[in-house]
Amino acid sequence: MIPVRRVLLSAVLCAGVAIPVFAAAQGQTTPAPPVVEAKPVTAPYDDKLARLAEVLGSVHYLRTLCKAQNGDEWRAGMQQLLDSEAKDEPPRKEKLTAAFNRGYRAFASVYTDCTPAAIMAEERYRNEGATLATEITSRFGN
């Protein structure tokens, strides 16, 4: 009978299955199940908010590149967005910050001088940002 137990025990251990009966029989306590962290709550508008953050990063880069007035207001707008939407939620803050940086870097890799194309891109992105902000607040605002 002992060889059968060894074979079963070997098979179970190889399969990675824990058998609490053996642990209890040997006077050991079974370990507590691992604590599963709660999935972060996401808002239904998080995708649009991430796109808005990306647009803000793009506009910030382009306005700074073209030395436009109030070039820093776009970065300040992003900081306000982070403070109001993700102040106490580090994963959301990281996601939005990454989107802002992605937008910034996307244009930094393409434009090194202020060209008419850069000015046109900045204008289009400002318009997209205004549209996104309007859609988010009209659909999800209080």
Side-chain angles (χ1 to χ4, degrees):
M1 193 60 123
I2 291 176
V4 175
R5 282 187 182 169
R6 286 185 186 161
V7 170
L8 285 175
L9 181 59
S10 297
V12 168
L13 290 176
C14 289
V17 178
I19 301 180
V21 175
F22 290 127
Q26 294 175 355
Q28 298 174 351
T29 59
T30 58
V35 177
V36 178
E37 289 187 30
K39 188 175 180 180
V41 177
T42 58
Y45 54 88
D46 273 354
D47 290 339
K48 287 186 182 264
L49 208 58
R51 178 63 186 153
L52 179 60
E54 194 171 343
V55 167
L56 288 172
S58 298
V59 172
H60 174 65
Y61 175 78
L62 292 168
R63 289 187 67 86
T64 302
L65 179 69
C66 292
K67 297 174 180 38
Q69 281 187 314
N70 303 327
D72 246 8
E73 82 180 33
W74 299 94
R75 189 187 178 305
M78 180 62 194
Q79 188 60 54
Q80 287 177 333
L81 179 71
L82 290 173
D83 291 344
S84 64
E85 286 294 327
K87 186 175 185 176
D88 299 325
E89 300 174 65
R92 272 182 94 201
K93 187 173 185 176
E94 289 172 16
K95 182 180 176 184
L96 293 173
T97 301
F100 179 88
N101 291 337
R102 187 173 45 252
Y104 187 94
R105 287 187 199 115
F107 281 96
S109 67
V110 176
Y111 295 103
T112 56
D113 294 321
C114 184
T115 63
I119 294 169
M120 185 182 299
E122 184 269 334
E123 183 179 335
R124 287 181 179 166
Y125 270 68
R126 268 190 300 121
N127 291 336
E128 181 184 354
T131 301
L132 282 167
T134 302
E135 285 176 5
I136 293 168
T137 54
S138 67
R139 184 164 181 205
F140 302 103
N142 293 343

